[in-house]
Every structure is written in C-alpha cells, then in structure tokens.
Amino acid sequence: MATGMDVLNLSIGGPDYLDLPFVEKVWELTANNIIMVSAIGNDGPLYGTLNNPADQSDVIGVGGIDYNNHIASFSSRGMTTWELPHGYGRVKPDVVAYSRDIMGSKTSTGCKTLSGTSVASPVVAGAVCLLVSVIPEDKRKSILNPASMKQALVEGASKLVGPNIYEQGAGKPDLWQSYEILKNYQPRASVFPNMLDFTDCPYFWPFCRQPLYAGAMPVVFNATILNGMGVIGYVKDPPVWQPSEDVGNLLTVHFTYSDTIWPWTGYLALHMQVKDEGSQFSGIISGNVTLSIYSPAAEGESSPRSSTCVLYLKVRVVQTPVRSRRILWDQFHNIKYPSGYVPRDSLNVNNDILDWHGDHLHTNFHILFNMLRDAGYYIETLGSPLTCFDASNYGTLLMVDLEDEYFSEEIQKLRDDVVHKGLGLAVFAEWYHVDTMVKMTFFDENTRSWWSPLTGGANIPALNELLAPFGIAFGDKILSGDFSINGEQSHYASGTDIVQFPAGGFLHGFELQEDPKTAQNSSTPDTQNSQSQEKSKLSSILGMLEAGEGRIAVYGDSNCLDSSHMVTNCYWLLRKIVEFAGNGLRDPVLFSEATRLKFPVFENTQKPLRRPDVNFSMFSSVIGKELICHQDSRFEVWGTKGYGIQPTGTTRKLPEYQKNEVSSSPNRLIKSSYKRQDEAGLQKSILAPSANKFDDKRDYFGFISHEEHCWVI
C-alpha cells in the first residue's frame, strides 16, 4: 500500500483460514485496490486441501496444470471448508496455469526449473499485469479492482475437458478473451459461476452424480458474488427463482447471502428442494436466479451504482428412491481444524499432524461418495443435529470419524429411530487415548501458546453415550495391523476396540498389534499376566446387531474410508454393512454362527473418559449451544428443534430467503480419563504407532512449490 503496488503475488499458504491477523491484512490490501494472486497449494490430489489466502473470495486462487492441460497431481482441490458443517464450500481454485517443469531465473545467475502451484501463481500474476497495462492509465482507477480483474479472468477462461469445477475452477486463462472483456468494461456485479448445469458431468461433480428428488435434504450450492462496482456492496432485493417452464414450480429455492459484500466479494448460497408433490416426477428443471446488487456512488457520481446478476440453473430430478437406498451422512458432529487442534486419524502418518480436510462427502470422502453412487445408493448430508431428519425416509445413518458431543434429545431420538422406526445405524470410530493426546502437545510459535488435541481421532466418550442404549461401547486401545475376511484384505490404522456388545449380536475379533503405551495402562496383576497376554492377541473391532425394528453396525476405524492417508480401502465392508443396516441383508461370512454372541461382552473396566483440561465448548456445536435445525435441513424444520421435539411448524410461512452475517465466524485457538479394559467372552488387543510428541515450531506459511512443501513442522 505504501509503494502504490497494483498486483501482489503470494506463493505461500497454510491451512489456517482463521488466522485473523493474516486474513485481516489480506482484506486490508484488497480493500485498498491491490489485486492479489496466490497459490492454491500442493496437497493434491486430495480434496478440501485449499490453502489460505488463495481460498479467500477476494484473492485470485491459482491451481496447477501440466503442458498437456491435465490437472497437476499435486495441485490442491476444492471445495473451501470455511462453511462446514451448516453450509457448503465455495468454488476454488479460480483458474489454473502451467505449474510443472517451469523455467525461471535463479537469484544469482542462469535459470532453474521448478514445479508447484507456487510457479503457476506468478504466471497468472504476470498475465494480470499485462491486462492492467493495456488499460489506459486515466481509466485504470475507475475500472480495475480485485473483482473486475477476477471477472475478466474467470469469464474469459477456457474450460478444460475432464477436470471438475473443484479441480480447475473456470479453467485456463485466455489473455485475449480477458482483454476483450476489460477493453469495454463497465463496472458491474456478477456471480461465479454464472451457470449451474447439474447435468454437465464431470465438470459439475459432485452435483451431476446425484439427481434431486422430493423428500431429500436441500442441495446447497455456494456461489461467489463479484462486485466490480465498489469495495462495498449490498443485495438490493431478495434473490428470485424464475423457472423456465411450469414444471419448474416443483423446485423450491431458498437463499442465504452476504449482508455486506466486502471487500469486493460475497456469497450467494442456493438451497434447493423438490416439493413433495414432485415425488413421482422425472425430468429436467431449468430457470434463472436473479439478484440485484448496489454500491454507494463512486467519486464524482451522484447516485448509487446498481447491477442485476443472472445465474442460470439446470437440475435433473428423479422419483424419490426407496428408503433402503437412501443414506444420510452425519456432518454436524464433525469438528475440523481450524480453529481447534484435531489430530490426524492415523498415528502412522508423521508429516501431517492435523485433521484439516473437512471430513465431508465431497472432500476426503469423495471416493466413498462415488462408490456408493456407483452401487446405486443416494447419499445426503446433514449439517444439523440428529433431531432434524425424519428417520422413516432413510435406510442408513452413516456416522464416520466424528469428534463432537450429542444433545440428550439426539440420543433419545436416535434410540427411537432405530428401535421403533427401523433406521439402520453404521458407525466408524477412531482411536481415543488420553495419554497419547497429551504427548501430541506442541508449542505454536504463531500464537505463543501450547496446543493440545481436543479429542482423539474420534470422540469415543461421546459415541459411547450415544450407543449406550444399545449396550455397545468402544474402548481406549489403539490398534493397527492387517487382517482378512473371506479373502478380502484390510488394514486397521490406529483404530479402537469394542469392549461392550450385547448377546445375540455378531462380533468379529482379529489379531492386531497394540500400542505399547495403551497396553501399559491396561496391565493386569502378575497372576493374570500370561492369561491376559494370550487373550490380547485377539481384538474385537466389528460388530453387528439387530435392535428392535432397526439394525446397527460398528467398526473401530475410519481410515479405510478416508482418502487422506488410506493404506487399503474397506469399501467392500461398507457395502455389506449398508446392505445389512438399510435392507436387512446378511452376508453369510459376517453373520456366521461362529461369531454370534451367546452372552454379552462386557469388559469390567472403566470406559474412556473425557479430558477435564480441555475447554471443549469453544469448538463444539453442542456444548453450551442451542439445539436448532440449520439451513441445510428440510425447509419445514428450519429454525426449530426438529422432528419429535416440538411441532415442526409445517404450517408456518417461511421467508423466501435468510441473511447470514458471514459463512463462518472466527473462533479462538485452543488451550487445552480413562482406563482400558480386559474382556469377558470375546477378546481384544491393541496397537498404536508410537505417539510422537510435536514440540517443534510450526510455520504455516512456507513456499508452495512441489519441491518445497507449504508446511514446515
């Protein structure tokens, strides 16, 4: 700002989008009309791995391609995770540029070759400078700003064939097309993307993979408002959905959007739901969404600037699927970094200490989503409490790697949903061991404070409370190893064990390795040593049970479903679990008579306890919070406590839109017992790779190149 800079490139980044001193400085820079370009990161091919500041709306985020116009494997993918769990992430990157084997000058003399989004970003920054230079100097101040330049880039870009929108954004910049846009540019507002064609595959993955249908959770798409008229702007009138044909009236669209568009950008989220009368409809619905933006009058002007944006929408609708084919994914009870230190799920992975990829169906579980769709299942996302869905609509509730607590109303409702409404429940847990968490404490140089994990890989004490009505509980062992079921090879990576399970259920135990520290905590008197050592060779990790009209399946590890650090997938097991939970189909191997429990398993030891030294309420959506259904739930329960808790309010008039202040409000950083058990009837054992103590300095902002990774730990 002091030097009058026009364009700034930042080939740096990190995962902490709530690092407010840094983020607010970025806002200050762009608000002062500096066009900022930044590298999106080199954490690909994983999804949900965008780096800050490139994931900010007012920054041009750049991904990487090779010379064959293929997305570079190392280029980070969207979506943004700021908005989870109640909303849906924005599209990023904005554009992609060449990033592999790029020749540039050395700092001393000669040339060198580099790869990474750190070299793609200055390629785009150079293109932006060229575009700035062709605008006459006397017009630059009135025309060029971070929003108008992004409009020129994304509207002029060439879409690549093959990659989806969260891999390539608008595509590869086309300098000539962008120049043509800027040459006759008049300040205006627009929406990116300006066309949502959910029949266009694979570009609009994941939306093109699953059609809409009546009775489903709203499908949410989060678009970005670009306001080239001024640094600050407002939505003048509520957005309006205008269907092209009468059949489009079967689609209801509610909106949430920015109260204030600043600096230069905001968000527009569409919440789409097919009306109940469309349960038998199959076909295409299309139309336009229009909204008006205004900004205060510019210098020398007497009246405010205004602009009308049009967003084209096209969706595919099918008849409502049968209940057994419908799966609901619990997103609400996931806690992610930032702002809390949520440790990684696999303790064997030492170069990535944080669980920061969003744990969403369309980020690190995107392959699971595709697998279930290929198998003919329809999978919806719930970002609200368990009271906010009607269990009679779903075959299976899928709960994977969850870290949050549960409202008492949720526990009661889930019990009733399973026992009386026939809901299937599938739970994939993770490790939980207090001593291991304590050893993962490290000193953060940025905040000058000690960081300690909020919980383990999953919140086992909370899951045990949720499963207590069914007589099921997990322990605190940390287990790893390989095993086989009927020829299917599986890898167990830092999972936990099952220490309580009712008679009549089916429980599977395998020889796995136990982390030595957890074994020490669970030592038995010398007189029982030999017997205990013998029993510890087997660990119970998979259980299935019929409970009233419903069915339950529990498994102690989620790494086999998570793309982040997967060794071997267990999609085959998930399919069999879903077939059982949702439709009552019993696999003869999983339900062999040898695994049926004649007596309940109950290890006579203390179950895992919560940590008293962590202020969990700072990061929880449950502790100290109000039970309420958010905008991701069915429209008729928005703002209520949900089904079976109070009248659902189906007769009350809903607003056509609802304004939000910001998609994600900043939290502050963290400050942050149990024992294990032996068994009686079935056996267990444990392993956890040694829990490393992280006490080194963390540098979130490092050079983002393929050779020089963005984190220094």
Side-chain angles (χ1 to χ4, degrees):
M1 290 186 291
T3 60
M5 184 182 292
D6 296 307
V7 181
L8 171 64
N9 178 75
L10 288 181
S11 290
I12 62 171
D16 189 355
Y17 53 76
L18 292 182
D19 181 2
L20 288 185
F22 181 82
V23 169
E24 289 175 352
K25 185 57 64 176
V26 171
W27 292 342
E28 185 180 358
L29 287 167
T30 59
N32 280 273
N33 218 27
I34 294 176
I35 299 169
M36 185 179 290
V37 186
S38 188
I40 210 70
N42 299 320
D43 295 293
L46 300 176
Y47 284 72
T49 53
L50 304 170
N51 281 250
N52 178 273
D55 66 343
Q56 295 192 45
S57 297
D58 51 321
V59 176
I60 298 169
V62 182
I65 55 175
D66 60 24
Y67 288 118
N68 294 317
N69 290 333
H70 298 143
I71 301 296
S73 59
F74 53 76
S75 183
S76 290
R77 271 73 165 167
M79 57 185 181
T80 62
T81 58
W82 297 39
E83 300 78 3
L84 302 178
H86 305 312
Y88 192 85
R90 290 163 288 111
V91 174
K92 281 280 181 170
D94 297 298
V95 291
V96 290
Y98 296 118
S99 63
R100 192 183 288 279
D101 299 327
I102 305 300
M103 188 72 73
S105 59
K106 290 183 180 178
T107 54
S108 53
T109 182
C111 297
K112 67 183 295 186
T113 298
L114 280 177
S115 297
T117 56
S118 278
V119 293
S121 182
V123 168
V124 172
V128 168
C129 290
L130 284 175
L131 292 171
V132 170
S133 69
V134 299
I135 305 300
E137 285 194 48
D138 59 334
K139 293 184 178 179
R140 287 180 190 172
K141 186 176 179 181
S142 61
I143 289 180
L144 294 179
N145 57 59
S148 62
M149 184 57 71
K150 186 179 284 193
Q151 287 171 330
L153 283 176
V154 299
E155 292 170 14
S158 301
K159 188 169 75 172
L160 304 177
V161 177
N164 66 55
I165 195 169
Y166 297 110
E167 294 174 310
Q168 66 166 304
K172 184 172 68 171
D174 185 320
L175 270 176
W176 182 258
Q177 292 298 324
S178 295
Y179 164 68
E180 290 292 323
I181 292 170
L182 285 176
K183 186 171 65 174
N184 301 308
Y185 183 83
Q186 296 296 320
R188 58 181 171 84
S190 64
V191 176
F192 172 68
N194 61 8
M195 175 182 290
L196 305 183
D197 183 357
F198 291 171
T199 66
D200 180 7
C201 258
Y203 183 65
F204 270 105
W205 179 94
F207 300 95
C208 64
R209 283 300 319 268
Q210 181 166 303
L212 277 66
Y213 48 86
M217 293 293 165
V219 172
V220 184
F221 187 90
N222 193 359
T224 299
I225 299 172
L226 303 174
N227 181 24
M229 300 183 296
V231 66
I232 191 169
Y234 307 92
V235 176
K236 185 177 182 181
D237 298 305
V240 177
W241 158 239
Q242 300 170 314
S244 302
E245 301 173 336
D246 288 344
V247 72
N249 291 315
L250 291 174
L251 181 68
T252 301
V253 185
H254 288 340
F255 304 92
T256 53
Y257 51 86
S258 303
D259 281 338
T260 301
I261 301 169
W262 182 91
W264 308 104
T265 61
Y267 71 90
L268 171 68
L270 286 69
H271 306 253
M272 295 163 277
Q273 183 176 301
V274 178
K275 297 177 182 177
D276 291 340
E277 51 264 39
S279 61
Q280 299 302 311
F281 174 76
S282 292
I284 302 296
I285 289 178
S286 62
N288 295 320
V289 172
T290 58
L291 74 158
S292 297
I293 308 294
Y294 75 92
S295 288
E299 185 178 348
E301 297 178 352
S302 58
S303 57
R305 293 179 167 183
S306 64
S307 181
T308 299
C309 306
V310 178
L311 172 65
Y312 177 73
L313 176 64
K314 183 179 181 182
V315 300
R316 185 184 306 278
V317 179
V318 297
Q319 295 181 15
T320 301
V322 296
R323 178 186 184 184
S324 62
R325 285 282 154 184
R326 293 178 62 180
I327 298 172
L328 187 64
W329 173 272
D330 182 2
Q331 188 68 35
F332 178 75
H333 296 96
N334 167 259
I335 299 177
K336 65 184 186 307
Y337 172 87
S339 58
Y341 172 14
V342 181
R344 65 184 181 275
D345 297 321
S346 175
L347 295 176
N348 287 313
V349 179
N350 295 321
N351 62 347
D352 194 356
I353 66 172
L354 299 172
D355 186 6
W356 64 282
H357 300 160
D359 283 346
H360 191 278
L361 277 170
H362 303 151
T363 58
N364 49 310
F365 289 102
H366 70 284
I367 299 176
L368 176 150
F369 170 78
N370 286 336
M371 181 278 297
L372 289 172
R373 286 297 300 127
D374 290 341
Y377 289 98
Y378 296 81
I379 182 164
E380 305 166 32
T381 305
L382 177 67
S384 291
L386 301 180
T387 58
C388 301
F389 77 96
D390 184 350
S392 61
N393 290 333
Y394 299 94
T396 305
L397 173 65
L398 188 52
M399 309 181 77
V400 179
D401 185 20
L402 301 179
E403 297 92 0
D404 212 335
E405 298 286 333
Y406 301 88
F407 292 102
S408 58
E409 294 91 339
E410 292 183 284
I411 297 173
Q412 178 62 42
K413 178 178 180 290
L414 185 63
R415 178 194 177 280
D416 293 340
D417 286 345
V418 172
V419 174
H420 301 300
K421 292 191 176 181
L423 177 69
L425 177 62
V427 177
F428 285 75
E430 269 301 335
W431 69 271
Y432 184 96
H433 189 259
V434 171
D435 289 345
T436 298
M437 286 183 252
V438 170
K439 290 179 173 64
M440 297 176 76
T441 300
F442 66 89
F443 188 76
D444 176 48
E445 290 285 358
N446 294 332
T447 60
R448 305 296 298 175
S449 62
W450 285 95
W451 281 40
S452 183
L454 300 178
T455 181
N459 190 338
I460 295 302
L463 280 175
N464 283 347
E465 284 191 358
L466 185 74
L467 297 171
F470 309 108
I472 300 173
F474 292 105
D476 68 346
K477 291 182 180 179
I478 302 181
L479 304 167
S480 293
D482 298 308
F483 64 93
S484 173
I485 300 180
N486 198 31
E488 292 283 359
Q489 296 295 321
S490 293
H491 180 75
Y492 210 67
S494 306
T496 189
D497 59 334
I498 300 171
V499 298
Q500 188 174 323
F501 211 77
F506 296 79
L507 195 61
H508 293 257
F510 301 94
E511 290 189 8
L512 298 170
Q513 296 171 291
E514 178 180 354
D515 182 270
K517 296 178 181 61
T518 67
Q520 289 172 12
N521 291 348
S522 58
S523 61
T524 56
D526 291 341
T527 55
Q528 300 178 16
N529 250 354
S530 59
Q531 183 182 7
S532 175
Q533 290 294 326
E534 185 67 28
K535 288 183 176 180
S536 68
K537 292 181 180 178
L538 282 179
S539 301
S540 298
I541 61 173
L542 171 63
M544 285 154 294
L545 170 73
E546 289 188 342
E549 296 182 17
R551 292 157 294 276
I552 301 172
V554 294
Y555 187 67
D557 183 32
S558 70
N559 280 280
C560 58
L561 302 177
D562 186 337
S563 305
S564 296
H565 303 296
M566 181 189 295
V567 176
T568 304
N569 76 68
C570 61
Y571 299 139
W572 64 272
L573 177 61
L574 176 63
R575 283 194 297 269
K576 293 182 183 300
I577 285 176
V578 170
E579 287 172 357
F580 166 66
N583 210 23
L585 297 178
R586 294 188 173 200
D587 179 80
V589 175
L590 296 185
F591 290 87
S592 65
E593 196 59 32
T595 62
R596 182 194 291 271
L597 293 177
K598 296 181 174 59
F599 304 99
V601 167
F602 183 80
E603 295 200 0
N604 189 25
T605 51
Q606 189 179 40
K607 295 193 197 68
L609 301 176
R610 294 173 175 83
R611 295 184 63 180
D613 58 329
V614 173
N615 184 4
F616 202 77
S617 62
M618 291 177 62
F619 314 98
S620 172
S621 296
V622 175
I623 303 300
K625 308 301 189 300
E626 181 185 0
L627 174 62
I628 191 170
C629 299
H630 299 274
Q631 291 95 332
D632 68 296
S633 52
R634 297 273 298 166
F635 296 156
E636 64 265 21
V637 298
W638 273 24
T640 75
K641 292 185 178 181
Y643 298 97
I645 304 300
Q646 65 180 37
T648 59
T650 52
T651 59
R652 67 189 177 95
K653 181 172 174 54
L654 286 169
E656 284 305 308
Y657 71 100
Q658 181 168 333
K659 295 185 180 180
N660 283 347
E661 294 181 37
V662 288
S663 351
S664 181
S665 48
N667 287 316
R668 33 231 119 275
L669 298 174
I670 16 184
K671 244 316 234 157
S672 146
S673 222
Y674 60 76
K675 281 231 163 168
R676 106 162 232 245
Q677 5 283 110
D678 246 274
E679 58 113 66
L682 252 262
Q683 337 58 287
K684 337 210 153 288
S685 163
I686 332 175
L687 147 83
S690 58
N692 298 309
K693 183 175 181 178
F694 299 98
D695 51 9
D696 295 334
K697 173 182 177 181
R698 270 192 323 169
D699 181 4
Y700 286 101
F701 294 96
F703 184 71
I704 302 184
S705 76
H706 194 43
E707 293 82 4
E708 301 166 74
H709 199 50
C710 63
W711 284 8
V712 180
I713 297 177

